[in-house]
Amino acid sequence: MLLASPFKAFAGMNEAFAQFAPKDSTNTRAFTTLLLQKVAYILCNLLTLLVGMWKCNQMGLLPVGTGDWLQFEHRGEVCNPFFSILP
């Protein structure tokens, strides 16, 4: 919920601000209408998203350590010089 709600808010931002648009505006759902308020709305939703990601990181749900990516790591073969000189 904490990670999904900012994306839903971004998607419905113009509809949420349409009721506050000036009456003389030609397009009440344009992004440039109430620009400063919409930027503040976006920043608050980004803050909510960052708090959710921080909480997931604190619980260990985000793959940030080297142990989380071991299946994608490929090791090269070790060349042993002792066996190369034997016939």
Side-chain angles (χ1 to χ4, degrees):
M1 178 93 173
L2 189 62
L3 296 176
S5 62
F7 294 110
K8 291 178 185 176
F10 290 145
M13 181 177 60
N14 287 330
E15 288 80 17
F17 280 94
Q19 61 184 343
F20 301 112
K23 300 292 184 215
D24 58 350
S25 179
T26 58
N27 189 2
T28 59
R29 297 181 190 267
F31 184 73
T32 55
T33 306
L34 301 171
L35 183 63
L36 186 61
Q37 290 82 1
K38 288 181 180 180
V39 168
Y41 185 74
I42 289 171
L43 290 176
C44 289
N45 279 306
L46 283 176
L47 181 66
T48 304
L49 185 64
L50 290 174
V51 167
M53 290 178 65
W54 177 76
K55 284 186 173 188
C56 287
N57 187 30
Q58 294 300 315
M59 289 188 287
L61 298 176
L62 296 180
V64 294
T66 56
D68 298 326
W69 301 99
L70 286 178
Q71 74 182 39
F72 301 113
E73 186 175 324
H74 299 288
R75 303 240 178 200
E77 291 186 26
V78 177
C79 180
N80 192 347
F82 179 72
F83 291 117
S84 64
I85 59 173
L86 291 177

